Amino acid sequence: MNKAYSRRKFMAGLSTSSLAIAASPVLPGLGNVLIQNKEKLAILGGTAIREKGRIGPAWPYVDDQMVNAIVKTTRSGIWSRIQSATGNVPTFEKEFARQIGVGYSVGTGSGTQALSTCVEALGIGPGDEVITSPYTDMGTISSILTSRALPVMVDLDLTSFQLDPEEVAKKINTNTKAIMPVHIMGVPANMERIMELARKHGLKVIEDSCQAPFARYQGKAIGTIGDLGCFSFQASKAIACGEGGAVVGNDQALMEQCYTVQNRGASRKGRNETIGPKYRMNEFEGAILMGQLPGAKDRFLKRNENAEYLIAQLADIPGLTPQKKYPGTESSSYYHFAMSYNKEHFNGADRSLFLKALNAEGIPMGSYIKNGLHKEPWIQHVLGLDEYQTMYTKERREEYANSLDLPNCDKICNETLISFWGSGMLLGSRQEMDEIVAGITKVYENRDSLNKIKTS
């Protein structure tokens, strides 16, 4: 949709042209809710917009072809990638690279392992620092710690939830070796500015693209802009095999080093050349992923279509702002569909009350990451380790501990960010998208009642 409709037009349109939907036994009372926007909130005794339950198809995606591929792999006895140069994993690596639009791909056992492979392959180690986001999965941080480097977390842009490049610039020092931007929610970070900083200071860039397969920015696929890019195929991701990950890149020599690192230090030639864990993807994961890929781009396009529809339909609701996209963002993967919540437009009601009301209407939405990683106990643990006390001066450790005041990240975690899981929900029908809009609209129309909700 190219034009956002006003909230009243949307509600009127549903109440007049979607009476069949309103009368559906799956949606008891929806007709009244849509016609009388001021009906009592479900959490206060009113009729819910929809029955609680899944929105969108079952996830992860499974079909008979995938099941047959697993059976075939089981019977073949080829369960490890090193048993066959033409097995599931090598085949997946080539096809994934082709679909992303990059020269090379190396499969790993998880997205965290992919990131860790990159850190080690780039020669980042003890005494080095990598700048990254506090608003991410612990795997991002873990991948840096595994090589005994120091993850330096910087504050976020309040409305994109991404690394603020101006804050990145402040934290660069002589020990900084790389920047690891996180394309959180599957929406591209400000890569133009990040790459400018990297070039200026001679830094490497590892894209944590774990949530962002197929997303595009300024004519390039996310994951192909920096030196290396990483993806996750964990069960909740847009392409899923339970666990699993991949490194992608265009530098053949660097990608061969990534292969060697994840193959416990052994190159394709069979020589034991360097330090490395065993991060190899197995043939069963490869079989599932080969079953996921044929429809992966179609599902990606469906998520973008539904996300843009929701953004258009919700445009007139004050106090809800879609996740900011930087200039040149062409598409996003929408691992989560996220917005900023401003309680001033909801009668001062805390975000938790808005979410309680919305969930009672049958619309599952939450606050995603509860704490920024600068608030977690791993920091005290790491700074207390003998090796970190040896590698980093007392002054640097104290400076690091005192640099963890990240107010924008705290505000995002504690007050403003709301989201729902997009991998499955954004594959829902247009009717289901309309139900999401109707639920949010109903809560907004009843915003004066939000503070009546019990907080316990």
Side-chain angles (χ1 to χ4, degrees):
M1 254 185 100
N2 294 325
K3 185 178 180 180
Y5 289 96
S6 71
R7 188 169 63 257
R8 285 196 176 90
K9 284 183 179 178
F10 171 78
M11 302 301 277
L14 279 177
S15 61
T16 57
S17 65
S18 300
L19 292 178
I21 295 175
S24 167
V26 180
L27 304 168
L30 181 57
N32 287 336
V33 170
L34 296 178
I35 294 169
Q36 300 176 29
N37 297 350
K38 288 292 186 179
E39 182 179 337
K40 188 184 295 185
L41 292 169
I43 198 168
L44 297 177
T47 302
I49 288 289
R50 64 185 301 276
E51 296 284 348
K52 289 185 178 181
R54 185 179 67 226
I55 293 177
W59 192 260
Y61 173 81
V62 178
D63 62 14
D64 289 341
Q65 183 178 348
M66 293 171 63
V67 174
N68 291 338
I70 290 294
V71 173
K72 182 179 178 180
T73 298
T74 303
R75 289 175 173 164
S76 74
I78 299 174
W79 295 358
S80 170
R81 71 161 297 154
I82 64 172
Q83 291 178 267
S84 172
T86 59
N88 293 325
V89 177
T91 302
F92 167 75
E93 288 172 338
K94 291 177 182 177
E95 179 60 16
F96 185 64
R98 186 190 70 79
Q99 289 203 22
I100 292 293
V102 70
Y104 308 95
S105 173
V106 173
T108 62
S110 69
T112 301
Q113 291 177 11
L115 290 164
S116 177
T117 294
C118 294
V119 173
E120 194 67 27
L122 287 169
I124 298 167
D128 295 335
E129 300 184 7
V130 178
I131 294 175
T132 192
S133 171
Y135 193 75
T136 181
D137 181 82
M138 184 60 189
T140 307
I141 300 297
S142 176
S143 70
I144 301 167
L145 294 174
T146 298
S147 291
R148 294 302 187 264
L150 187 66
V152 176
M153 296 168 290
V154 306
D155 213 356
L156 311 176
D157 177 273
L158 263 177
T159 55
S160 71
F161 321 127
Q162 309 276 13
L163 277 182
D164 183 342
E166 304 316 310
E167 294 299 313
V168 171
K170 296 175 185 177
K171 294 294 181 75
I172 295 172
N173 62 39
T174 56
N175 293 326
T176 307
K177 295 297 185 291
I179 305 172
M180 188 181 286
V182 179
H183 302 291
I184 199 71
M185 319 293 179
V187 177
N190 188 350
M191 290 304 295
E192 180 177 10
R193 182 71 178 115
I194 288 169
M195 294 305 294
E196 286 176 358
L197 288 170
R199 286 189 291 268
K200 178 180 178 181
H201 296 279
L203 305 176
K204 300 297 184 181
V205 175
I206 304 168
E207 292 182 71
D208 183 339
S209 312
C210 287
Q211 299 180 356
F214 304 134
R216 293 188 65 82
Y217 173 87
Q218 296 185 355
K220 295 182 179 180
I222 287 301
T224 71
I225 300 170
D227 294 274
L228 293 166
C230 298
F231 296 90
S232 169
F233 309 125
Q234 187 265 348
S236 67
K237 298 300 195 298
I239 304 171
C241 67
E243 297 292 348
V247 180
V248 302
N250 284 309
D251 184 325
Q252 184 178 14
L254 181 55
M255 287 300 295
E256 282 301 305
Q257 183 68 1
C258 287
Y259 175 89
T260 299
V261 167
Q262 63 84 42
N263 194 36
R264 45 96 171 97
S267 67
R268 292 185 196 270
K269 296 177 181 179
R271 296 179 61 85
N272 300 308
E273 298 183 6
T274 188
I275 297 170
K278 185 187 283 187
Y279 283 162
R280 294 195 299 245
M281 177 182 285
N282 66 57
E283 285 288 288
F284 295 100
E285 292 170 323
I288 295 174
L289 290 169
M290 285 304 297
Q292 288 261 324
L293 279 185
K297 279 199 172 177
D298 289 339
R299 291 188 286 275
F300 167 80
L301 293 173
K302 178 71 171 178
R303 293 185 189 98
N304 273 266
E305 177 187 338
N306 276 335
E308 293 306 315
Y309 179 78
L310 290 176
I311 290 169
Q313 297 294 349
L314 296 170
D316 288 339
I317 296 186
L320 294 180
T321 306
Q323 182 178 3
K324 182 173 80 177
K325 297 177 183 177
Y326 290 100
T329 297
E330 299 169 17
S331 57
S332 302
S333 295
Y334 291 110
Y335 175 63
H336 271 235
F337 179 87
M339 297 182 286
S340 293
Y341 172 80
N342 185 341
K343 68 180 183 181
E344 292 180 6
H345 294 278
F346 286 83
N347 199 32
D350 185 80
R351 177 185 64 179
S352 63
L353 299 179
F354 171 85
L355 292 173
K356 280 186 177 183
L358 194 58
N359 277 270
E361 300 297 336
I363 313 301
M365 188 171 277
S367 56
Y368 193 36
I369 296 173
K370 306 300 181 185
N371 292 305
L373 292 175
H374 63 298
K375 295 287 191 180
E376 296 293 317
W378 68 268
I379 296 171
Q380 290 72 33
H381 172 73
V382 165
L383 293 180
L385 293 175
D386 288 344
E387 55 264 49
Y388 276 84
Q389 294 193 13
T390 299
M391 295 182 298
Y392 300 90
T393 65
K394 179 181 179 182
E395 289 75 20
R396 178 62 185 121
R397 296 195 310 274
E398 290 178 350
E399 181 185 35
Y400 183 85
N402 293 330
S403 70
L404 299 175
D405 180 21
L406 307 177
N408 285 358
C409 183
D410 293 340
K411 187 169 185 177
I412 287 166
C413 290
N414 300 330
E415 300 177 32
T416 64
L417 187 136
I418 60 173
S419 74
F420 64 77
W421 171 64
S423 296
M425 283 180 61
L426 281 176
L427 296 178
S429 65
R430 181 53 54 86
Q431 176 181 331
E432 288 173 314
M433 298 304 105
D434 284 341
E435 291 166 7
I436 292 172
V437 175
I440 292 172
T441 302
K442 182 183 176 185
V443 173
Y444 174 74
E445 296 290 352
N446 286 274
R447 58 195 178 278
D448 291 347
S449 299
L450 289 174
N451 284 308
K452 298 177 183 177
I453 298 170
K454 293 182 179 178
T455 57
S456 59

